[in-house]
Amino acid sequence: WRSYTRATDGIIFVLDSADYNTLDEARMELHRTLNYQDNINIPLLILANKQDLPTALREQDIIEVLGLRKLKSSLWCVELTCGITGEGLETGIEMMHMMIMKRKMKGKRNRNKTR
């Protein structure tokens, strides 16, 4: 994933929140990708898809299963979505935009402190 995430402003990770068989692999790939030096402080949006299914994990379960609290960065967000209806997608993109702007403002403040 390194070549896809190099020099990016944010990462959107789409998760099938109703497929329990792929959660371990998803966690492993997510942490591996975010631990690349270039990705450590990159905003992360988790789109927990398939929320229309009764077996879909809820937000707190997704946070636990993916180990999001263990990440080096605090710029992450989970948005519950349904690809069929589009529910949650617009909110997720708005959250990503806010995280990107927050990161850019923080970088700007840090640059100004060193002058």
Side-chain angles (χ1 to χ4, degrees):
W1 297 109
R2 180 176 277 166
S3 62
Y4 294 109
T5 60
R6 185 177 306 145
T8 186
D9 288 325
I11 296 173
I12 299 175
F13 190 85
V14 181
L15 176 74
D16 182 340
S17 59
D19 185 355
Y20 301 111
N21 296 322
T22 60
L23 294 175
D24 286 337
E25 181 181 1
R27 181 184 63 248
M28 182 184 70
E29 292 297 333
L30 178 64
H31 282 260
R32 183 181 313 173
T33 300
L34 294 175
N35 283 327
Y36 295 143
Q37 185 61 36
D38 294 343
N39 295 341
I40 288 178
N41 291 312
I42 298 295
L44 169 68
L45 170 63
I46 306 286
L47 293 179
N49 196 28
K50 298 192 180 178
Q51 288 295 310
D52 56 318
L53 300 178
T55 58
L57 292 172
R58 299 281 110 206
E59 183 176 356
Q60 288 304 316
D61 297 325
I62 292 165
I63 291 169
E64 287 298 315
V65 166
L66 294 180
L68 297 178
R69 290 190 181 96
K70 297 176 184 174
L71 296 176
K72 295 176 184 177
S73 174
S74 61
L75 285 175
W76 55 265
C77 174
V78 174
E79 185 62 40
L80 305 178
T81 62
C82 175
I84 294 173
T85 65
E87 184 178 346
L89 295 176
E90 188 174 329
T91 304
I93 297 302
E94 288 172 9
M95 293 300 297
M96 175 58 86
H97 179 258
M98 288 188 333
M99 289 188 294
I100 290 169
M101 296 309 294
K102 182 178 179 179
R103 178 175 177 255
K104 287 185 177 191
M105 292 302 292
K106 185 177 179 180
K108 195 176 197 178
R109 282 194 301 266
N110 289 342
R111 282 191 303 276
N112 289 338
K113 286 180 185 179
T114 59
R115 291 182 183 179

